[in-house]
């Protein structure tokens, strides 16, 4: 089912051939994740975010990126992960979807990686349910797993959100 | 769809609209060869093009219509009403086919034989002759005519002549050079310019904190260029209101024949421009209103003649700009609304109880026609009267951020007034704070700002929160306003809700939300700002209380409140159910305090600042001073003015120096100080409801002027500083013995104006806010002594006239000169004032006149006493 979803979506690349080669990696509740570098417009740290009353719980609010209004998404909330420890200043990855800008709030933005594509594999059945929904597969790196986030799913208007 | 076909459809739609209009003109002036040629050419073009694009059905209809028009052009057939009706029928068919093509890309199926037969029939047999319009008379007949006939004929001819002259001009009045542009290109430009404006505002904000920056001059230039660019781009989105009106002549004509009425449609201000987007959205409500006027407003010719009116009813459409808004009026000269019928209907539909109706004013009753499902038409016609009329109009106009109201005079007609913003892209908004966050509330729904006490007694006109059935309300003039806390509406921090606590003072925005006026309680009110409306992210679009978001000058992102959404939220909370627009009993309404009428000067203090107001009475003169006439004495700009050096002040250092600077001159005891301003915007004289703000020195308060909340500045406060520096070494003449004045004035605003003015003139001033308090001073164990008393006339409780009569009856103050200050200033009032015992009756607020009167009477008084 997951695989067919990937194959069907025109934006989601079919497994090996069109797989992005370079990823911006990030840390989310201790899990290493990757986002295709081509999808990242900006990396921000400690931006003032204006909360929006009555917004869905995973929408942290709005922020001003050089005169454009960006919707900030609390990824921990979105993925049903435990809330960030107090004092942690989240960083933001800015990405675009359907002409709208979104800032994904993560614990930390790490480095840019170009992993060997032979290390890519689809979601294993052992992957916790929290992740399967938004994972497009994963890379087995030297000493960790990197989950490739499926941005189009992350930014889709989920029923739970509204 | 084929690009060629798209072009054809666009062009045809335009020609069809123009054709309707042209045909109606032709009907009025049947033999105008030029108009005939225009009509013929347009039909011909349509026919030719559809042959080329192989649209056979369309071509057939256009072809036969063209043949018929050809005969008219060649003079074989007269262009009378019967013929025009047939041609209009053909046009309707063409429109139908065209809209079919727009929808599907293909010609819709259909049978046109009837229409074609009618057209051909008309061509062969000619239209039924009309009554001979021209009359030939010989002198004998003329002698026999009743007196006055010739005069009325002459008047009719005179009326017809300008119409005939106007026609060719309209045909030539096409724009010289135009280009077709994709709307998206303009939309993108608009977005970019909006961003540029925001960036500019941010830069200006930074620059304001830095004095002597090298950036100041280029920034100023950038600012001007940006404003010009914005204006230019906004202009590209503008089109004349005629675009929303051009279908109306045809609609009115059809309605007239359907209803058996005679209707003239007069259109004034066709060229008034507004945003295309707004234009599209206002078109249908306007059509609805005109239909309504034709059907309900105007009487049948027989009824009109019986009531001494001309058989022809007139519907007048007019539009003009007013205070950043466009005003559109739809007026008819019909019978006016029957309040009796509306009352009966409102009662029958359960919209109000008979007790409520009995206390309502005419206007309140008339507004029932905007209630959902309301209709007074006794017969349901095909035109209107189905009860889906004015409430839909009202909803649609409010969706645009506009308002609609009506005025109706029995026997004279009804006028609907629509006010809508010029553009939806940039709006003027009041920035408010609730629950620690700022929000933008569109200015158009803000009526006024007031402060209310959470508890306390009801006397002295103080605004106090009361409770009706447990709902907090505010009694403001003749209305009980339900109070709703914005925090609650936005579901923020529920524990701080005003129901649980009894806060000491509330800031209340009196707002009209979806037809209900209520008091919106906010934590704080900031300025009004011009904001660029940006759509909210799809993830937040389901939150109906917001209509958009924006970035303020300080870079903060804030949400824009949607009045209609808020109104729904209020409805859900069930907060207005108990006290919806309920008028207070008539007694309370009779003692309502009207606002003080005062003249305000609207000025812009800095290039991008919103206009602020100051009482005109404070300003001695307005001058324009050339830049080269401004000199500097120890960093203080001064100018030679009437043989003296006059210091020049500016309240904002970012004032752009034009070649000529408008300067407001304030004079006091022979000395003058000039206040340089960016621009003098307007002088407004109106009933102002002034809300006092005491938190900021130099700010007298705020008032709604020309539809927007405007700050009223205390120029005196600012000038005094510069004044003291400047004149400290040459003090003006002081009165050896300080004279003591008593000011009786219920308006805190005027007290704040009078006290500094009189103090500055060297008097010692005591001020009280009611006649009762003044009398208490007189009747105290040791009566206070005054040299003169200045009293307001219109005051709640004891008014100025009663007060004057009481003083003159006897007592320690019997001989003190008594000066009246009044907003009402006409001979009758002045006489009344004189009879009551006032020795002077002055308008509010003429500083010079007041000081002169004081000098006059105090000198006299002293001489008499001596």
């Amino acid at each position: 089912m997951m695989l067919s979803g990937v194959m069907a979506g025109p934006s989601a690349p079919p497994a090996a051939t069109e797989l992005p080669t370079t990823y911006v990696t990030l840390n989310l509740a201790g899990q290493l994740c990757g986002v295709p570098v081509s999808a990242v417009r900006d990396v921000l740290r400690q931006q003032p975010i204006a909360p929006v009353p009555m917004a869905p719980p995973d929408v942290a609010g709005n922020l001003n990126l050089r005169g454009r209004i960006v919707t900030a998404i609390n990824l921990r909330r979105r993925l049903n992960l435990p809330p960030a420890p107090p004092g942690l200043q989240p960083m933001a990855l800015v990405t675009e979807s359907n002409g709208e800008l979104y800032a994904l709030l993560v614990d930390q933005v790490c480095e840019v990686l170009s992993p060997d594509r032979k290390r890519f594999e689809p979601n294993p059945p052992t992957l916790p349910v929290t992740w399967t929904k938004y994972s497009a597969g994963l890379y087995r790196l030297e000493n960790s797993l990197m989950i490739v986030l499926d941005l189009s799913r992350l930014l889709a208007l989920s029923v739970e959100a509204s | 769809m084929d690009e060629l076909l798209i072009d054809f459809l666009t062009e045809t739609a335009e020609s069809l609209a123009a054709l309707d209009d042209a045909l109606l003109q032709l009907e009025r002036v049947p033999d105008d060869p030029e108009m005939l040629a225009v009509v013929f050419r347009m039909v011909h073009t349509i026919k030719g093009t559809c042959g080329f694009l192989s649209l056979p059905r369309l071509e057939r209809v256009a072809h036969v219509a063209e043949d018929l028009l050809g005969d008219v052009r060649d003079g074989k057939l007269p262009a009378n009403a019967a013929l025009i009706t047939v041609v209009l029928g053909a046009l309707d068919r063409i429109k139908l086919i065209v809209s079919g093509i727009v929808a599907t890309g293909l010609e819709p199926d259909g049978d046109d034989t009837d229409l074609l037969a009618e057209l051909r029939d008309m061509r062969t047999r000619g239209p039924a002759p009309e009554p001979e319009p021209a009359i030939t008379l010989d002198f004998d007949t003329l002698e026999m005519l009743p007196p006055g006939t010739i005069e009325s004929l002459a008047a009719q001819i005179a009326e017809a002549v300008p119409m005939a002259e106007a026609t060719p001009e309209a045909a030539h009045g096409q724009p010289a050079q135009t280009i077709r542009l994709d709307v998206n290109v303009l939309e993108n430009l608009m977005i970019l310019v909006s961003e540029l404006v925001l960036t500019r505002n941010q830069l200006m904000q930074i620059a304001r904190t830095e004095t002597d920056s090298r950036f100041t001059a280029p920034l100023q230039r950038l600012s001007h260029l940006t404003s010009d660019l914005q204006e230019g781009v906004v202009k590209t989105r503008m089109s004349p209101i005629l675009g929303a009106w051009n279908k109306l002549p045809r609609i009115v004509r059809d309605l007239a024949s359907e209803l058996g009425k005679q209707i003239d449609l007069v259109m004034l201000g066709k060229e008034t421009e507004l945003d295309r987007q707004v234009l599209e959205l206002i078109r249908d409500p306007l059509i609805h209103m005109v239909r309504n006027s034709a059907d309900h407003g105007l009487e049948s010719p027989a009824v009109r003649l019986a009531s001494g009116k001309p058989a022809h009813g007139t519907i007048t459409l007019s539009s003009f700009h007013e205070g950043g808004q466009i005003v559109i009026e739809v007026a008819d000269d019909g019978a006016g609304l029957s309040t009796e019928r509306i009352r009966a209907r409102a009662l029958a539909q359960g919209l109000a109880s008979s007790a409520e109706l009995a206390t309502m004013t005419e206007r309140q009753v008339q507004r029932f026609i905007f209630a959902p499902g309301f209709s007074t038409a006794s017969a349901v016609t095909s035109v209107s009267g189905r009860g889906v009329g004015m409430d839909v109009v009202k909803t649609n106009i409010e969706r645009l951020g506009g308002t609609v109201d009506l005025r109706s005079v029995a026997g004279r007609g009804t006028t609907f007034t629509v006010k809508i913003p010029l553009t939806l892209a940039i709006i003027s908004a009041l920035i408010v704070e609730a629950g620690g966050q700022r929000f933008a509330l569109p200015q158009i729904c803000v009526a006024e700002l007031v402060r209310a006490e959470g508890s306390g007694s009801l006397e002295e006109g103080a605004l106090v929160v009361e409770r009706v059935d447990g709902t907090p309300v505010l009694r403001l003039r003749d209305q009980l306003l339900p109070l709703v806390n914005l925090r609650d509406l936005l579901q923020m921090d529920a524990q701080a809700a005003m129901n649980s606590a009894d806060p000491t003072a509330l800031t209340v925005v009196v707002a009209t939300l979806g037809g209900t006026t209520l008091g919106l309680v906010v934590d704080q009110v900031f300025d009004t700002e011009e904001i660029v409306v940006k759509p909210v992210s799809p993830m937040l679009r389901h939150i109906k209380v917001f209509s958009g978001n924006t970035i303020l000058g300080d870079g903060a992102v804030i949400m824009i409140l949607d009045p209609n959404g808020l109104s729904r939220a209020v409805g859900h909370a069930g907060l207005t159910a108990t006290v919806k627009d309920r008028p207070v009993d008539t007694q309370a309404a009779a003692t309502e305090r009207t606002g003080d009428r005062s003249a305000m000067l609207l000025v812009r203090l800095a290039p991008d600042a919103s206009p602020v107001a100051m009482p005109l009475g404070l300003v001695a003169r307005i001058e324009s001073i050339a830049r080269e006439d401004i000199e500097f004495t120890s960093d203080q700009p001064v100018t030679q003015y009437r043989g003296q050096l006059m210091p020049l002040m500016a309240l904002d250092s970012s004032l752009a120096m034009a070649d000529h600077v408008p300067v407001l001159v304030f004079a006091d005891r022979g000395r003058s100080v000039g206040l340089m301003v960016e621009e003098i915007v307007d002088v407004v004289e109106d009933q102002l409801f002034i809300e006092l703000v005491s938190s900021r020195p130099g700010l007298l308060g705020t008032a709604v002027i020309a539809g927007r909340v405007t700050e009223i500045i205390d120029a005196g406060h600012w000038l005094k500083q510069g004044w003291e520096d400047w004149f400290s070494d040459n003090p003006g003449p002081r009165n050896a013995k300080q004279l003591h004045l008593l000011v009786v004035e219920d308006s805190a605003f005027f007290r704040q104006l009078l006290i500094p003015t009189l103090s500055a003139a060297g008097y010692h001033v005591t001020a009280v806010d009611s006649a009762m308090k003044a009398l208490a001073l007189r009747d105290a164990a040791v009566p206070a002594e005054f040299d003169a008393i200045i009293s307001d006339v219109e005051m709640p409780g004891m008014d100025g006239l009663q007060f004057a009569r009481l003083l003159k009856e006897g007592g320690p103050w019997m001989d003190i000169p008594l000066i009246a200050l009044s907003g009402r200033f006409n001979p009758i009032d002045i006489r009344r004032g004189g009879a009551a015992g006032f020795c002077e009756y002055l308008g509010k607020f003429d500083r010079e006149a007041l000081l002169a009167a004081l000098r006059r009477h105090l000198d006299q008084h002293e001489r008499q006493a001596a």
Side-chain angles (χ1 to χ4, degrees):
Chain A
M1 161 123 195
M2 175 64 224
L3 197 66
S4 71
V6 170
M7 298 297 282
S11 57
T17 46
E18 285 173 49
L19 201 65
T21 54
T22 317
Y23 295 86
V24 177
T25 63
L26 54 97
N27 180 350
L28 202 56
Q31 172 64 51
L32 187 70
C33 302
V35 172
V37 76
S38 55
V40 177
R41 295 261 313 236
D42 247 300
V43 175
L44 311 171
R45 67 173 71 226
Q46 291 187 22
Q47 278 281 319
I49 295 172
V52 176
M54 301 161 86
D58 49 1
V59 174
N62 285 326
L63 60 87
N64 170 6
L65 177 66
R66 295 184 291 272
R68 287 195 63 177
I69 296 175
V70 182
T71 314
I73 313 279
N74 183 333
L75 269 197
R76 274 179 175 260
R77 281 254 175 84
R78 188 82 168 165
L79 297 171
N80 282 320
L81 295 168
L88 181 106
Q89 289 286 350
M91 291 175 72
L93 275 180
V94 180
T95 183
E96 190 172 334
S97 162
N98 293 323
E100 294 282 336
L101 291 182
Y102 296 93
L104 305 176
L105 302 187
V106 301
D107 295 356
Q108 200 191 4
V109 176
C110 311
E111 53 190 332
V112 176
L113 280 185
S114 300
D116 186 345
R117 73 170 54 167
K118 274 180 267 168
R119 292 178 175 272
F120 180 80
E121 46 190 82
N123 288 337
T126 50
L127 197 68
V129 190
T130 312
W131 294 100
T132 40
K133 211 159 142 198
Y134 301 113
S135 163
L138 45 82
Y139 282 92
R140 287 188 188 283
L141 304 179
E142 297 289 298
N143 38 21
S144 60
L145 286 177
M146 181 185 88
I147 292 177
V148 177
L149 292 178
D150 184 335
L151 290 177
S152 58
R153 276 162 184 265
L154 264 179
L155 299 176
L157 291 168
S158 66
V159 184
E160 309 93 280
S162 53
Chain B
M1 218 186 286
D2 186 358
E3 202 164 304
L4 218 54
L5 188 59
I6 294 173
D7 277 351
F8 164 72
L9 291 174
T10 319
E11 254 170 53
T12 309
E14 281 169 20
S15 333
L16 285 173
L19 255 180
D20 260 351
D21 213 35
L23 278 170
L24 295 184
Q25 285 200 41
L26 192 59
E27 193 179 18
R28 248 180 279 152
V29 194
D31 297 321
D32 182 350
E34 240 175 287
M35 193 46 64
L36 258 174
V38 169
V39 170
F40 182 79
R41 200 165 51 237
M42 284 197 257
V43 176
H44 177 79
T45 312
I46 295 174
K47 187 207 77 177
T49 326
C50 49
F52 181 63
L53 287 169
S54 94
L55 301 165
R57 189 178 162 203
L58 198 56
E59 187 189 0
R60 235 180 347 259
V61 177
H63 185 89
V64 181
E66 184 198 354
D67 284 348
L68 184 59
L69 284 167
D71 284 355
V72 178
R73 187 189 53 174
D74 300 342
K76 289 184 200 157
L77 291 173
N80 65 11
L83 186 133
I84 301 274
T85 305
V86 174
V87 178
L88 284 174
L91 281 189
D92 282 344
R93 190 62 57 87
I94 292 174
K95 281 183 203 163
L96 188 79
I97 302 172
V98 166
S99 61
I101 302 173
V102 171
T104 62
L106 292 171
E107 255 190 345
D109 293 325
D111 185 18
D112 304 316
T113 30
D114 283 4
L115 178 78
L116 296 179
E118 199 182 347
L119 284 166
R120 290 205 184 95
D121 191 47
M122 179 69 70
R123 215 182 146 207
T124 44
R125 284 200 278 150
E130 286 194 353
E132 194 66 31
I135 331 162
T136 335
L137 297 171
D138 57 32
F139 280 106
D140 293 342
T141 329
L142 276 180
E143 298 274 306
M144 284 154 57
L145 285 173
T149 313
I150 308 270
E151 284 83 349
S152 92
L153 267 178
Q156 281 177 30
I157 292 166
E159 230 172 83
V161 169
M163 202 153 64
E165 275 174 2
T167 318
E169 201 183 351
H172 292 305
Q174 272 135 17
Q177 276 189 319
T178 53
I179 52 164
R180 247 179 237 282
L181 258 185
D182 188 341
V183 175
N184 288 331
V185 176
L186 292 183
E187 294 298 316
N188 282 336
L189 257 181
M190 187 67 200
I191 293 171
L192 285 174
V193 168
S194 305
E195 302 291 353
L196 187 62
V197 170
L198 287 174
T199 318
R200 188 266 319 256
N201 292 353
Q202 279 162 270
L203 275 177
M204 298 296 285
Q205 190 122 2
I206 297 166
R208 234 161 251 166
T209 58
E210 287 176 25
T211 45
D212 283 346
S213 166
R214 286 184 297 130
F215 295 112
T216 308
L219 259 182
Q220 203 62 254
R221 174 123 183 88
L222 176 74
S223 168
H224 281 299
L225 287 174
T226 310
S227 299
D228 289 351
L229 184 62
Q230 184 187 1
E231 210 172 287
V233 172
V234 167
K235 219 177 242 171
T236 61
R237 292 163 55 100
M238 296 297 208
S239 31
I241 183 101
L242 190 62
W245 286 358
N246 53 15
K247 281 188 184 159
L248 290 172
R250 171 73 193 280
I251 288 170
V252 168
R253 178 193 183 275
D254 291 353
L255 273 178
S257 58
E258 194 178 324
L259 296 165
K261 293 180 182 177
Q262 298 176 14
I263 308 175
D264 279 343
L265 181 68
V266 178
M267 301 197 281
L268 304 170
K270 290 181 206 179
E271 301 308 316
T272 312
E273 292 197 315
L274 75 168
D275 193 303
R276 256 195 36 259
Q277 196 188 354
V278 182
L279 188 112
E280 292 300 323
L281 295 169
I282 196 67
R283 179 177 291 146
D284 288 344
L286 278 180
I287 291 176
H288 224 105
M289 292 168 79
V290 169
R291 277 173 175 280
N292 189 71
S293 294
D295 192 17
H296 295 315
L298 295 176
E299 318 91 321
S300 62
V303 174
R304 290 184 66 89
L305 287 172
S307 51
K309 293 187 194 177
H312 265 267
T314 305
I315 297 178
T316 309
L317 276 171
S318 46
S319 90
F320 50 93
H321 286 158
E322 188 186 86
Q325 291 179 1
I326 180 160
V327 181
I328 306 170
E329 289 185 343
V330 181
D332 66 61
D333 64 349
L337 292 174
S338 158
T339 31
E340 276 324 299
R341 249 162 62 197
I342 297 175
R343 268 182 223 274
R345 193 82 196 176
L347 197 61
Q349 297 194 347
L351 295 169
S353 71
S354 52
E356 283 173 322
L357 282 169
T359 61
M360 283 190 181
T361 62
E362 289 265 295
R363 269 180 94 105
Q364 282 171 318
V365 173
Q366 288 171 354
R367 288 204 186 106
F368 272 120
I369 69 159
F370 294 120
F374 193 86
S375 171
T376 55
S378 34
V380 172
T381 65
S382 71
V383 179
S384 51
R386 281 162 304 221
V388 284
M390 298 313 288
D391 62 315
V392 177
V393 167
K394 183 162 185 269
T395 315
N396 287 339
I397 288 169
E398 279 168 359
R399 202 164 285 155
L400 278 174
T403 58
V404 58
D405 202 355
L406 81 157
R407 264 193 331 270
S408 183
V409 181
R412 301 267 298 278
T414 307
T415 302
F416 288 93
T417 306
V418 175
K419 290 184 180 179
I420 39 172
L422 281 183
T423 168
L424 300 180
I426 298 177
I427 62 165
S428 178
L430 180 69
I431 312 298
V432 299
E433 188 183 297
Q437 276 177 256
R438 283 180 289 174
F439 299 93
L441 184 62
Q443 183 74 258
I444 191 146
C445 65
V446 177
E448 61 184 301
L449 300 173
V450 294
R451 268 185 98 70
E453 299 299 323
S455 57
S457 60
L458 265 173
E459 56 183 348
E460 294 153 28
L463 294 169
V464 176
V465 175
E466 300 166 55
R467 268 161 209 279
V468 173
D469 305 338
T471 311
V473 295
L474 187 69
R475 192 188 295 263
L476 186 68
R477 291 186 289 280
D478 61 343
Q479 273 198 319
L480 276 183
L481 295 178
L483 286 183
V484 181
N485 199 311
L486 183 58
R487 258 192 322 230
D488 297 344
L489 281 186
L490 301 178
Q491 301 167 15
M492 303 166 84
D493 188 23
Q495 61 176 25
M498 59 168 290
N499 281 319
S500 53
D502 211 3
T504 49
L506 299 174
T507 304
V508 180
V509 180
V510 179
T512 308
L513 305 176
T516 314
T517 304
L518 51 81
L520 199 59
V521 179
V522 298
D523 297 345
Q524 214 182 332
V525 171
F526 301 94
D527 327 343
T528 56
E529 277 193 40
E530 298 286 310
I531 57 170
V532 179
V533 180
K534 289 161 175 271
V536 284
S537 147
M539 282 193 187
L540 302 172
R541 225 160 266 171
H542 63 282
I543 313 174
K544 297 295 180 211
V545 291
F546 301 127
S547 60
N549 43 20
T550 192
I551 299 180
L552 292 182
D554 63 5
V557 181
I558 68 166
M559 305 303 291
I560 302 167
L561 297 167
D562 179 351
N564 286 310
L566 281 180
S567 140
R568 274 192 297 275
V570 171
H572 289 159
L575 289 168
T576 52
T578 48
V579 280
K580 193 181 174 192
D581 269 338
R582 191 152 82 196
V584 183
D585 56 281
T586 38
Q587 246 181 340
T591 57
E592 84 183 47
R593 196 160 71 82
T594 54
D596 294 302
R597 194 172 178 84
S598 43
M600 290 281 172
L601 183 67
L602 281 181
V603 297
R604 217 184 281 282
L605 295 174
D608 296 296
S610 304
V612 297
M614 63 180 81
L616 185 61
L618 292 177
V619 181
R621 278 174 300 278
I622 298 172
E623 302 280 352
S624 173
I625 293 179
R627 186 160 50 173
E628 58 264 29
D629 290 340
I630 299 176
E631 300 157 43
F632 284 85
T633 319
S634 59
D635 285 343
Q636 166 71 53
V638 294
T639 189
Q640 293 279 349
Y641 185 71
R642 300 195 171 188
Q644 280 188 321
L645 269 189
M646 175 170 77
L648 294 174
M649 321 286 302
L651 297 195
D652 195 305
S653 53
S654 63
L655 193 72
M657 283 288 193
D659 288 344
H660 280 83
V661 189
V663 171
L664 312 179
V665 179
F666 296 82
D668 187 59
R669 281 167 287 162
R671 307 179 309 201
S672 302
V673 166
L675 175 67
M676 298 187 284
V677 297
E678 173 71 19
E679 186 193 355
I680 289 164
V681 183
D682 204 356
V683 173
V684 185
E685 192 175 356
D686 207 350
Q687 299 270 110
L688 295 180
F689 294 105
I690 293 154
E691 158 70 3
L692 292 174
V693 179
S694 50
S695 56
R696 269 166 64 189
L699 183 68
L700 282 175
T702 55
V704 177
I705 297 176
R708 42 185 303 168
V709 176
T710 307
E711 294 187 340
I712 302 172
I713 59 161
D714 178 4
H717 170 88
W718 300 97
L719 290 168
K720 218 170 84 193
Q721 297 173 340
W723 199 300
E724 277 162 3
D725 294 349
W726 181 249
F727 293 112
S728 55
D729 41 22
N730 50 341
R734 291 261 166 208
N735 285 340
K737 169 184 170 273
Q738 238 192 355
L739 294 167
H740 197 168
L741 304 179
L742 174 66
V743 170
V744 187
E745 166 66 75
D746 64 305
S747 152
F749 172 74
F750 274 99
R751 282 202 305 277
Q752 285 197 18
L753 265 187
L754 279 168
I755 299 167
T757 305
L758 295 170
S759 308
Y763 296 102
H764 179 60
V765 185
T766 300
V768 293
D769 61 6
S770 72
M772 291 313 291
K773 286 198 179 156
L775 291 173
L777 289 177
R778 182 191 69 168
D779 302 336
V782 183
E785 283 181 36
F786 295 103
D787 296 293
I789 298 172
I790 299 164
S791 173
D792 186 13
V793 175
E794 298 86 14
M795 286 188 291
M798 182 186 293
D799 70 9
L801 298 177
Q802 275 175 289
F803 175 58
R805 275 185 227 118
L806 259 172
L807 291 190
K808 293 297 168 193
E809 274 173 14
W813 291 359
M814 204 170 93
D815 297 322
I816 301 177
L818 205 51
I819 297 174
L821 282 188
S822 174
R824 260 179 304 184
F825 194 62
N826 60 52
I828 300 170
D829 288 318
I830 293 173
R831 238 189 341 265
R832 225 176 261 160
F838 284 108
C839 60
E840 290 275 349
Y841 199 96
L842 304 171
K844 255 184 193 176
F845 164 68
D846 187 341
R847 183 180 168 281
E848 294 295 319
L850 177 61
L851 294 180
L854 278 173
R855 274 195 297 274
R856 206 156 50 234
H857 288 283
L858 290 173
D859 287 356
Q860 206 177 28
H861 196 59
E862 265 171 33
R863 269 200 306 277
Q864 279 172 0

